[in-house]
Amino acid sequence: MRPLVALGCGTLFGAGLTLSGMTDPARVLGFLDVLGSWDPTLAFVMAAALALSLPAVQWVRRHPRPLLDSQYFVPEQTRIDAKLLLGAVLFGVGWGIAGLCPGPALASLAAGVPEVLLFVVAMAVGMALRHLQERRSADARDAGSGS
Amino acid sequence: MLDFGLLSAVFGGLMIGAAAALFFWLNGRIAGISGIFGDLLFDRRSGHWPWRLTFLAGLLLGYLAIRAWRPELGEINLQSGPVGMIVAGLLVGYGTRMGNGCTSGHGICGIARLSPRSFAATGTFMLAAILTVALLRHSGVFA
């Protein structure tokens, strides 16, 4: 059942990204280009998404558990640290270069544009690099603590 | 003026918000795309790959559904060449893993949960992206 729900939610999410124009890098960069001929339309995407999801999520959290699972799966960290902010900076720079973020990039893979595939493969490589680096530093910590 | 572009932005946003809220209500999970994609690739111990795979497959289906309805909405006007796409993809992949999320996980789900980390991350990546576009388009260094 949960994979089916995920399929439905993913489809709705992908349709929303496409309908709103987030899958077109020209529109995204037009929104980010505040010094140029700024196109504020995409601000309405986030505003509308939050106008619905913010009250909905607050309502959901009043229930002890989700409908189809035993608990909510939310990040436990609360500290705003350098890792969070530096990661966000790197992501923002990449977003500003290509006009693609992960959701729209994956959704528009379906268009079969080679450059989008290139972006997604590079994104997977970037994730792998971070993954390896984190595993190596975890190993070093374990070695340092004598285990 | 209520033109089609504005209406489609609002309705698209409502669909994104509804998808995130439904996913949290039913499955109890964050609809963060970089997290779902990264964990599908690198979290092989757990049995979580089926829902991750179907969620991501849904993104493609959603794209195709809208494009079948109105082909112009599926337009992809690339803004950088192959080298730019590779550099951008590497930064987006590395950065979203390091910062635990992207536009969806922090910008929509995190803010909807009123997470201070997501407010900080969203402000930071928006600012970084705006500065990057300003530098690339208006500094005269790259144009």
Side-chain angles (χ1 to χ4, degrees):
Chain A
M1 187 63 197
R2 288 192 294 251
L4 265 180
V5 167
L7 180 68
C9 290
T11 305
L12 189 60
F13 205 109
L17 288 173
T18 312
L19 177 61
S20 65
M22 289 289 295
T23 47
D24 184 356
R27 304 253 334 250
V28 173
L29 292 193
F31 167 64
L32 294 171
D33 187 8
V34 293
L35 297 182
S37 48
W38 186 49
D39 170 14
T41 316
L42 292 192
F44 290 91
V45 181
M46 194 176 185
L50 286 173
L52 200 154
S53 64
L54 204 151
V57 164
Q58 296 307 316
W59 175 80
V60 168
R61 295 206 87 175
R62 292 215 298 262
H63 303 73
R65 66 184 71 85
L67 242 52
L68 301 175
D69 214 321
S70 56
Q71 62 170 108
Y72 296 109
F73 301 87
V74 295
E76 279 157 21
Q77 301 122 289
T78 51
R79 247 185 69 224
I80 297 169
D81 53 9
K83 199 170 82 106
L84 176 79
L85 298 178
L86 182 58
V89 167
L90 295 175
F91 162 48
V93 172
W95 191 27
I97 292 173
L100 281 172
C101 53
L106 289 168
S108 59
L109 268 184
V113 179
E115 284 88 345
V116 176
L117 179 61
L118 198 60
F119 177 92
V120 170
V121 170
M123 181 170 87
V125 171
M127 288 178 168
L129 289 173
R130 180 67 202 170
H131 185 70
L132 286 173
Q133 194 189 13
E134 274 179 3
R135 209 169 55 186
R136 195 175 296 171
S137 64
D139 288 350
R141 258 201 314 278
D142 290 348
S145 64
S147 59
Chain B
M1 191 186 116
L2 280 180
D3 64 341
F4 183 75
L6 187 60
L7 274 180
S8 61
V10 168
F11 276 97
L14 289 174
M15 287 163 80
I16 294 168
L22 280 170
F23 199 50
F24 193 59
W25 181 45
L26 295 166
N27 285 16
R29 294 196 181 261
I30 306 291
I33 312 301
S34 60
I36 293 175
F37 181 62
D39 288 344
L40 178 67
L41 295 178
F42 304 114
D43 174 24
R44 293 199 212 89
R45 292 161 302 161
S46 64
H48 287 302
W49 66 267
W51 69 262
R52 288 181 178 136
L53 192 64
T54 53
F55 189 97
L56 297 179
L59 292 179
L60 278 75
L61 285 178
Y63 171 86
L64 291 173
I66 296 294
R67 195 179 70 167
W69 172 53
R70 281 194 178 231
E72 74 275 14
L73 289 171
E75 266 182 35
I76 297 167
N77 298 294
L78 297 171
Q79 298 295 294
S80 55
V83 176
M85 292 303 251
I86 291 172
V87 173
L90 287 170
L91 285 166
V92 169
Y94 188 93
T96 51
R97 286 313 267 186
M98 185 182 194
N100 296 98
C102 58
T103 343
S104 51
H106 282 312
I108 304 297
C109 300
I111 288 182
R113 290 191 304 115
L114 301 174
S115 151
R117 272 171 63 87
S118 290
F119 277 97
T122 304
T124 304
F125 66 65
M126 291 290 301
L127 190 65
I130 286 169
L131 289 174
T132 301
V133 174
L135 199 68
L136 289 177
R137 290 193 172 177
H138 305 293
S139 70
V141 179
F142 300 93

